[in-house]
Amino acid sequence: VKALTLARDLRRRKARERQGLFVCEGLRACEELLRSSVQPVAALATAELRATPRGDALAAELEARKLLTEISAAEFASAADTDSPQGVLIVARVPSRSLDDLRRHGPARILALDGVQDPGNTGTILRTAHALGFDATIALPGTVDLWNAKVVRSGMGAQFTHPAISAEWTAFRDFANATDVTLWGADASGEAVESLSPPERLALIVGNEGNGLGTHVRSEVATLVALPIGEAVESLNVAVATGILLYLLRR
Amino acid sequence: VKALTLARDLRRRKARERQGLFVCEGLRACEELLRSSVQPVAALATAELRATPRGDALAAELEARKLLTEISAAEFASAADTDSPQGVLIVARVPSRSLDDLRRHGPARILALDGVQDPGNTGTILRTAHALGFDATIALPGTVDLWNAKVVRSGMGAQFTHPAISAEWTAFRDFANATDVTLWGADASGEAVESLSPPERLALIVGNEGNGLGTHVRSEVATLVALPIGEAVESLNVAVATGILLYLLRR
């Protein structure tokens, strides 16, 4: 089947970038996708999907939209990338969003990820940024692809509405300079976040799970900020630490 | 091998409870275990472990302590319960801790989990409670076993030092009443957490990922507290939402 070949191919980041397509797996994420403005192009499902009323309803909707191809469990397993994908995946178009689409004045809260590598953490962070009203999440180089199936799955559909954008560091920094966005970097050596007043237009940059911010990022941000809990910070999961910072810095 | 049979058996909660033993998998968690006061009783490793200097050092330490049995990758896979256990696991004694060991006066911060089911979230929550200086985490009925290998792995060793205790609701409630611990429940309908002054001795109870607190818990707590972010709360991952609450309520 053509859709099966496509889904298999899209497990590679290069294929996703070349084709502008991604794969969404699992019941909840697929339901969210169909409710969003993201454009589905094909869907694959096994008999497993129809075993529950909820799955059956999803299958019926995919069928009505002429998207669905039913395949065997073995074929499905050869395309799926997450654990227990529940017998359903949708191939869809990556929303075309860029830094230029972000608001150039007025209050802003932007999150940037500098080398965050775990797909589950990254999806959870996207979900948090969306829930706490951040305007966009920027993936700087070294960060896992935001359209990786595991990120999409753990993001639970956040990036279908929350702008999730990949950018080079210089492009992001130049955008920030040109639009009066102040850059803050999260770093254990920084000032206590609650002792600072966040600027109207702020981007918070968080770094890699083990190594923190890249040296070029660290040297170019206006301020380094920290949770004032000493040693404990290093023991926090990156998604939890980022969640606390986003909560404290939300608009 | 006897240790292999034991490790396989300990994948079942009943076996862990009967024997008072648990399995710790993966390089980092095993390193943490050997540094803690938790008592190891046996270790299994494959040739994979010795492929890195760090793994080789761990193997040497396990050997020096006369704990190590080397087995084949296939045998190891039949005992391991987490993803990519890195060719090493340790069988160890569950620290014997009970509500009676908790301090009966002075400041206290206790976390209780009422039906939190995802092992990864639960491990992350244990890690957060430990990092933020909470005195103990109580698993109420319906919560995943705190000594499940996936919880131990994602807790990254937190429960080797942080008291992690299973208790019935009535036993926990009676302990709280007898020791002047005020019970707060996390619930989206509650009062904004930042508008309240936490009591000196506080236990925060968080509920199930989908259904929140049980009705008996909800009706018996002194206060229901919420993050004042409206609808967004339901979109937060339970480990992130709990992390924010623990940060705001820490001593």
Side-chain angles (χ1 to χ4, degrees), chain A residues 15-245:
Chain A
R16 291 193 294 272
E17 288 173 349
R18 194 177 56 238
Q19 308 213 39
L21 297 172
F22 72 100
V23 174
C24 169
E25 301 180 4
L27 202 52
R28 172 157 176 191
C30 287
E31 288 171 346
E32 295 287 341
L33 190 144
L34 293 182
R35 261 184 237 131
S36 76
S37 64
V38 170
Q39 196 190 331
V41 303
L44 295 171
T46 68
E48 183 197 347
L49 179 61
R50 300 203 188 252
T52 63
R54 191 172 155 191
D56 198 49
L58 178 61
E61 182 172 355
L62 292 170
E63 215 159 42
R65 295 209 199 182
K66 304 205 186 315
L67 293 165
L68 191 61
T69 306
E70 298 214 23
I71 58 177
S72 73
E75 287 173 317
F76 190 88
S78 75
D81 207 20
T82 67
D83 290 338
S84 20
Q86 303 168 298
V88 62
L89 68 78
I90 295 176
V91 176
R93 220 167 278 293
V94 172
S96 67
R97 285 170 177 137
S98 78
L99 292 175
D100 293 334
D101 301 331
L102 299 180
R103 300 192 325 143
R104 302 183 82 80
H105 34 75
R109 287 290 181 275
I110 294 168
L111 172 66
L113 308 178
D114 181 39
V116 176
Q117 290 183 329
D118 180 79
N121 282 338
T122 302
T124 300
I125 289 172
L126 282 166
R127 197 176 151 194
T128 308
H130 181 51
L132 294 178
F134 273 61
D135 301 296
T137 297
I138 314 299
L140 298 172
T143 298
V144 62
D145 176 23
L146 299 180
W147 299 97
N148 169 309
K150 293 192 183 78
V151 177
V152 172
R153 182 83 181 272
S154 57
M156 288 195 182
Q159 63 265 64
F160 303 156
T161 43
H162 177 75
I165 301 164
S166 289
E168 295 296 324
W169 166 246
T170 51
F172 176 61
R173 182 202 56 199
D174 294 350
F175 160 81
N177 286 341
T179 61
D180 275 324
V181 168
T182 302
L183 299 177
W184 283 11
D187 188 277
S189 73
E191 298 174 61
V193 61
E194 285 151 310
S195 70
L196 301 168
S197 298
E200 193 188 46
R201 290 174 64 79
L202 170 69
L204 175 74
I205 312 175
V206 302
N208 174 268
E209 288 90 341
N211 303 317
L213 297 172
T215 47
H216 55 293
V217 172
R218 197 186 306 258
S219 67
E220 294 197 60
V221 295
T223 308
L224 292 173
V225 296
L227 291 175
I229 48 176
E231 299 297 294
V233 172
E234 280 157 55
S235 332
L236 288 181
N237 168 283
V238 65
V240 172
T242 303
I244 297 171
L245 284 169

Side-chain angles (χ1 to χ4, degrees), chain B residues 48-66:
Chain B
E48 182 197 348
L49 179 61
R50 299 202 190 253
T52 64
R54 189 172 156 192
D56 198 49
L58 177 62
E61 182 172 354
L62 291 170
E63 216 158 42
R65 296 208 198 183
K66 304 205 187 310

Side-chain angles (χ1 to χ4, degrees), chain B residues 126-146:
Chain B
L126 282 166
R127 197 175 152 196
T128 308
H130 181 52
L132 294 177
F134 273 61
D135 301 295
T137 297
I138 314 299
L140 298 172
T143 298
V144 63
D145 177 23
L146 300 179

Side-chain angles (χ1 to χ4, degrees), chain B residues 4-95:
Chain B
L4 178 59
T5 311
L6 183 60
R8 279 182 190 147
D9 194 35
L10 292 173
R11 284 182 301 179
R12 294 179 307 115
R13 180 175 190 159
K14 282 226 178 308
R16 291 193 293 274
E17 288 174 347
R18 195 177 54 237
Q19 309 214 37
L21 298 172
F22 72 99
V23 174
C24 169
E25 301 180 6
L27 202 52
R28 172 153 177 195
C30 288
E31 288 171 348
E32 296 286 343
L33 191 145
L34 294 182
R35 263 185 236 129
S36 76
S37 64
V38 170
Q39 195 190 332
V41 303
L44 295 171
T46 69
E48 182 197 348
L49 179 61
R50 299 202 190 253
T52 64
R54 189 172 156 192
D56 198 49
L58 177 62
E61 182 172 354
L62 291 170
E63 216 158 42
R65 296 208 198 183
K66 304 205 187 310
L67 294 166
L68 190 61
T69 306
E70 298 214 22
I71 57 177
S72 73
E75 286 173 317
F76 190 88
S78 75
D81 206 21
T82 67
D83 290 338
S84 21
Q86 303 168 297
V88 62
L89 68 80
I90 296 176
V91 175
R93 220 166 279 291
V94 172

